[in-house]
Amino acid sequence: MEYKRSSALFAEASKVIPGGVNSPVRAFKGVGGTPIFVKEAKGAYLFDEDGNKYIDYINSWGPMILGHAYEPVVNAVIERAKKGTSFGTPTELETKIAELAVSMVPNIDKIRFVNSGTEACMSAIRLARGYTKRDKIIKFSGCYHGHSDSFLIAAGSGLSTFGVPNSPGVTQGTAKDTLLARFNDIDNVKSIFEANKNEIAAIIVEPVPGNMGCIPPKSGFLNELREVCIANETLLIFDEVMTGFRLAKGGVQELYGVEADLVCFGKVIGGGLPVGAFAGKEEIMDYLAPLGPVYQAGTLSGNPLAMAAGYEMLKALNADVEIYNRLEEKTAYLEKGIRNVLTKNNVLYTVNRVGSMISIHFDKNPVIDFDTAKNGDNQQFKDFFHNLLKEGIYIAPSAYETWFITDALSYEDLDKTILAIDKVTQN
Ligand SMILES: *Cc1c(COP(=O)(O)O)cnc(C)c1O
């Protein structure tokens, strides 16, 4: 494969955009080399600027669950655009998508739309703090909740449970209100509550983490978080930006039967346009301005193009009773194929999967949290990534990312992928 034009475009971009990209992981820093520039996409495939074709396992990091350029979404956006692209007034479409989302997701009465998953999580935390009148939050190492200050926190040293900034620009003052816990370790969570009695506003968690590879929650873990939160009058926030409308119509709340107090959305809910949302019970959501004291706003929030795309996406998912079964079957098929060839080729590996989220770790030990996710062989991942790219398989350029399976993938695509994985892992 040639990457001439992509390389040239990246050089041009790098002159005027920091690192040549508008979001860091696109830059291939984790795997080396230069990113491919995509020209267009359709269904399960990406086409780059050099004319190469790829089977896509990123799918815009999740949103394209029905494939690229999904026609009902594209048509709705075109038709909507002709009538004006933003008004700064309420539109009927906002109520329609809100009603549909509330009907699909268990346990939520009201939803507010924003422009990204970052905004959704940032706003949910503010709402939780305002509602509980407490400052501290618990997040789990390795879970990602967007790039707002409260979440760019790493574990402190030694026995300290206080977080420290993991990016310059995040203040110590902000960091001290974020407490870091280990995913899948309820005793760790309980000990943090012990040390911070009546101070914790919320636990925010990716209920099925997808930002350190895919990590299935241990049986009972989410229920235990629910109980700890009730006992401490702390809100439980499910960050379902990745899992919402992907693992089930009602996301992880439905899949595992655990109720959250607030739920964050992004990715799929926007059908490929910039949309986020947060939702919950009326009593909590009505704490938001203009009804309540917690301020939150957005010039382009509920933007008609974005709402049109999201509405078509949710309608399609809601109408298709088999969609989540098909995604489960396709991803299970891929998982089985990957396991077969990696075992045959004597690769040390762990494959984790929940529904249509799957990840491969080059380590034979179970991957259950951030520490175990870090154990994987990074050089092996880099080679795997670049060799698959040459075979026309596009996976995320980082060992910490989940593969997102789209319904547009055919079994022939999956077979090709398994064959390619077999080829690139033979010694
Ligand atoms: C992607 C992601 C976010 C951030 O969403 P953006 O739209 O990139 O701001 C937050 N939480 C989770 C779980 C995500 O996967």
Side-chain angles (χ1 to χ4, degrees):
M1 277 195 192
E2 291 238 343
Y3 303 109
K4 263 193 199 144
R5 216 175 127 66
S6 275
S7 298
L9 287 170
F10 185 57
E12 280 298 301
S14 299
K15 290 181 198 160
V16 284
I17 301 173
V21 292
N22 282 312
S23 194
V25 75
R26 295 178 199 164
F28 277 27
K29 242 187 124 178
V31 291
T34 54
I36 59 163
F37 276 57
V38 169
K39 190 168 187 183
E40 56 187 294
K42 181 69 192 164
Y45 311 118
L46 290 178
F47 302 88
D48 73 10
E49 290 280 356
D50 290 283
N52 302 310
K53 177 182 174 184
Y54 307 88
I55 302 175
D56 183 16
Y57 286 96
I58 305 185
N59 285 291
S60 186
W61 305 88
M64 302 312 183
I65 192 164
L66 300 177
H68 290 283
Y70 178 65
E71 263 169 39
V73 169
V74 171
N75 292 337
V77 171
I78 291 170
E79 287 311 311
R80 198 55 247 186
K82 290 179 188 164
K83 297 173 186 159
T85 57
S86 180
F87 315 117
T89 70
T91 55
E92 184 182 7
L93 194 51
E94 290 163 88
T95 309
K96 280 189 172 169
I97 185 175
E99 283 171 348
L100 182 54
V102 165
S103 78
M104 291 171 77
V105 177
N107 194 40
I108 63 170
D109 300 322
K110 290 190 175 178
I111 183 164
R112 178 159 287 175
F113 286 90
V114 293
N115 305 290
S116 67
T118 294
E119 267 185 75
C121 296
M122 180 187 82
S123 306
I125 285 290
R126 182 180 305 143
L127 178 56
R129 286 173 163 155
Y131 182 78
T132 59
K133 302 185 173 60
R134 295 173 177 178
D135 287 346
K136 292 181 181 169
I137 59 166
I138 291 179
K139 86 170 277 285
F140 293 91
S141 292
C143 282
Y144 181 68
H145 307 294
H147 66 280
S148 90
D149 287 3
S150 295
F151 304 123
L152 294 186
I153 307 295
S157 57
L159 292 175
S160 159
T161 55
F162 290 117
V164 297
N166 72 352
S167 164
V170 175
T171 66
Q172 296 287 351
T174 298
K176 76 171 176 27
D177 287 329
T178 301
L179 309 169
L180 267 288
R182 257 190 315 277
F183 191 76
N184 272 333
D185 184 347
I186 196 66
D187 291 335
N188 179 232
V189 174
K190 285 180 178 167
S191 71
I192 293 173
F193 271 98
E194 277 300 305
N196 298 273
K197 278 216 160 50
N198 302 319
E199 290 188 275
I200 300 174
I203 294 180
I204 186 165
V205 62
E206 286 182 70
V208 174
N211 284 292
M212 43 182 162
C214 174
I215 312 267
K218 278 186 187 161
S219 163
F221 179 66
L222 297 175
N223 277 307
E224 287 172 316
L225 289 182
R226 179 65 279 177
E227 282 162 22
V228 173
C229 283
I230 289 171
N232 289 279
E233 295 177 338
T234 291
L235 298 188
L236 180 60
I237 304 175
F238 274 7
D239 176 356
E240 298 223 41
V241 170
M242 192 178 278
T243 53
F245 306 101
R246 168 165 288 281
L247 294 185
K249 245 199 239 184
V252 175
Q253 288 195 101
E254 176 187 325
L255 193 65
Y256 289 90
V258 181
E259 294 192 345
D261 296 303
L262 289 172
V263 189
C264 303
F265 297 104
K267 301 197 166 106
V268 174
I269 201 172
L273 269 77
V275 179
F278 60 110
K281 285 266 183 272
E282 184 166 21
E283 185 195 335
I284 304 174
M285 292 303 287
D286 281 353
Y287 233 70
L288 284 173
L291 286 181
V294 173
Y295 195 68
Q296 187 279 326
T299 301
L300 291 177
S301 291
N303 171 268
L305 296 193
M307 295 296 97
Y311 187 49
E312 286 305 318
M313 177 59 87
L314 296 196
K315 268 201 299 191
L317 295 173
N318 196 39
D320 187 344
V321 291
E322 283 300 317
I323 176 74
Y324 296 104
N325 291 336
R326 279 203 308 279
L327 285 166
E328 165 71 29
E329 280 162 20
K330 285 181 185 179
T331 319
Y333 182 87
L334 180 66
E335 177 187 0
K336 186 160 172 259
I338 291 172
R339 285 182 184 282
N340 285 342
V341 297
L342 293 185
T343 301
K344 172 176 78 70
N345 293 338
N346 295 315
V347 175
L348 301 180
Y349 72 93
T350 293
V351 172
N352 281 350
R353 181 178 75 83
V354 176
S356 59
M357 292 163 56
I358 182 169
S359 59
I360 304 176
H361 305 260
F362 290 109
D363 186 42
K364 67 180 187 328
N365 298 310
V367 176
I368 57 165
D369 56 18
F370 192 46
D371 287 333
T372 46
K374 281 192 293 198
N375 286 340
D377 185 329
N378 213 32
Q379 188 54 50
Q380 198 172 352
F381 179 81
K382 287 180 192 179
D383 295 342
F384 182 68
F385 171 83
H386 283 291
N387 289 331
L388 277 186
L389 200 61
K390 282 181 208 146
E391 296 297 318
I393 312 290
Y394 192 64
I395 65 169
S398 159
Y400 294 105
E401 302 292 348
T402 296
W403 304 23
F404 299 104
I405 299 326
T406 158
D407 194 39
L409 284 162
S410 65
Y411 281 88
E412 198 187 334
D413 295 325
L414 297 172
D415 284 335
K416 267 190 201 161
T417 305
I418 295 162
L419 211 63
I421 293 175
D422 186 12
K423 183 173 164 193
V424 307
T425 55
Q426 282 173 24
N427 303 306

